[in-house]
Amino acid sequence: MNLHIDFLRTFIAVADTKGFTKAGRQVNRSQSAVSMQIKRLEDEVGKPLFERIGKTVKLTTEGSLLIKFARRIVKEHDDAVMALSKPVLKGFIRFGSPEHFTAGVLPKLLARFASSYPDVLVEMRCENSDKIKESVDRGELDIGLCTQISEGGQVIYHDPVVWVTDSGFIVQKDKALSLAVFEDDCIFRSWAVEALEQAGIEYRIVYVSRSISGILDAVRAGLAIAPIVKSNVPPDLKMVGIENGLPVLPISNVVLHTVKAPTPETVTCFAGYLIKAFREKG
């Protein structure tokens, strides 16, 4: 049995998107090419990997077993390719990101990049998305992440904004909803307030912070609920939504902005690490 790496990559895409057409967009192949690769993988395994249900698919028992190995195999393969093909880099990168990513994907990514490229210094600045984009446009930053709808840049991830609360949360219709939010210039705050006002839900802002850790601490204390991106929800808190009478919040685009061409090789390499880290989250 020989499990072709491209077939496994397509297999993962189909499992994640639950459809051949969406998977094709993700791996940049036609629907027929995706179908052919899945058929060849099933022939190699000797068992069906998906069960067709209308226009969607779901993993069979064998598919559920294989998906765990497939993710590890593809990740190890990509890490090996990156390690063997990485250039020798030296230099300095000025990087900007909203603060809430420091509680999510960035710490491990920065550590991994520093280990791979010890001669490249990454200076990180935490600002809101508007300031980051402006700084990149002015050449004050080499690369920046923005968590909002913005012009230009490369969308590398879609992160739903959700309501998060402690385990004892109950919506009380006769009381205003207590909110913990970021400062005025945060798009998550604006989306939350607009959604509550459109739904006719009375609210009051009881805690304001620029720090994601401060917001989460307020939620843990039972002081308020908060609108944050799904990727930031810690295991000790829970997501609530329409089943609790709360409005659905928008999906945040994670957008990558880099300095205008010619882009330094160090920045291009770091951008690749960012894109890979977010794809692994999805």
Side-chain angles (χ1 to χ4, degrees):
M1 187 182 297
N2 181 25
L3 303 179
H4 196 287
I5 195 72
D6 286 343
F7 296 173
L8 291 178
R9 200 183 301 278
T10 299
F11 168 63
I12 293 170
V14 175
D16 288 344
T17 62
K18 296 180 174 58
F20 285 34
T21 301
K22 290 182 179 179
R25 296 193 195 106
Q26 186 168 312
V27 297
N28 197 27
R29 296 185 185 277
S30 66
Q31 181 179 348
S32 60
V34 169
S35 298
M36 182 191 69
Q37 288 195 338
I38 295 301
K39 177 63 168 59
R40 290 178 64 180
L41 183 60
E42 289 178 329
D43 290 343
E44 189 68 35
V45 173
K47 296 177 182 178
L49 300 173
F50 291 103
E51 178 183 350
R52 278 69 175 176
I53 305 175
K55 294 183 179 180
T56 64
V57 297
K58 73 173 185 177
L59 291 167
T60 61
T61 301
E62 291 77 13
S64 297
L65 177 63
L66 179 60
I67 192 68
K68 300 174 184 178
F69 293 100
R71 294 189 193 279
R72 283 166 26 201
I73 291 169
V74 170
K75 182 180 184 302
E76 291 296 327
H77 169 274
D78 291 349
D79 287 346
V81 170
M82 182 175 289
L84 292 171
S85 60
K86 70 180 182 182
V88 176
L89 297 179
K90 295 182 179 181
F92 183 76
I93 298 172
R94 299 166 300 171
F95 171 52
S97 169
E99 192 271 346
H100 64 262
F101 281 135
T102 62
V105 67
L106 287 183
K108 290 182 180 179
L109 178 146
L110 291 170
R112 190 163 66 245
F113 186 81
S115 176
S116 298
Y117 301 99
D119 293 327
V120 179
L121 176 63
V122 179
E123 179 186 87
M124 183 173 173
R125 182 195 306 175
C126 290
E127 297 278 6
N128 65 51
S129 294
D130 289 338
K131 290 183 178 180
I132 289 170
K133 184 177 183 301
E134 291 171 2
S135 295
V136 173
D137 290 342
R138 290 195 299 263
E140 297 170 357
L141 288 175
D142 301 308
I143 185 169
L145 286 176
C146 296
T147 56
Q148 66 181 62
I149 299 172
S150 59
E151 296 180 359
Q154 178 184 1
V155 177
I156 62 173
Y157 190 64
H158 303 286
D159 208 354
V161 181
V162 298
W163 299 104
V164 65
T165 183
D166 71 324
S167 58
F169 171 77
I170 299 176
V171 175
Q172 299 180 14
K173 294 184 179 180
D174 58 337
K175 292 182 62 176
L177 191 67
S178 296
L179 298 182
V181 293
F182 292 101
E183 295 184 348
D184 284 334
D185 53 7
C186 176
I187 192 69
F188 303 158
R189 172 175 173 159
S190 299
W191 284 345
V193 167
E194 289 172 9
L196 290 172
E197 291 178 349
Q198 289 177 6
I201 298 175
E202 186 179 356
Y203 68 91
R204 58 176 184 166
I205 295 174
V206 300
Y207 190 91
V208 178
S209 175
R210 185 170 289 277
S211 164
I212 182 63
S213 60
I215 295 290
L216 294 178
D217 284 344
V219 173
R220 287 190 179 99
L223 181 64
I225 71 168
I228 65 173
V229 286
K230 187 176 180 180
S231 62
N232 269 155
V233 179
D236 61 321
L237 298 178
K238 69 175 184 177
M239 292 182 289
V240 292
I242 54 175
E243 70 279 3
N244 302 96
L246 296 172
V248 175
L249 296 172
I251 294 176
S252 170
N253 291 329
V254 181
V255 184
L256 185 65
H257 293 276
T258 57
V259 290
K260 297 178 181 178
T263 305
E265 191 174 10
T266 50
V267 174
T268 300
C269 181
F270 186 65
Y273 268 70
L274 285 168
I275 293 169
K276 183 175 183 293
F278 276 95
R279 284 179 178 171
E280 288 174 354
K281 284 167 60 66

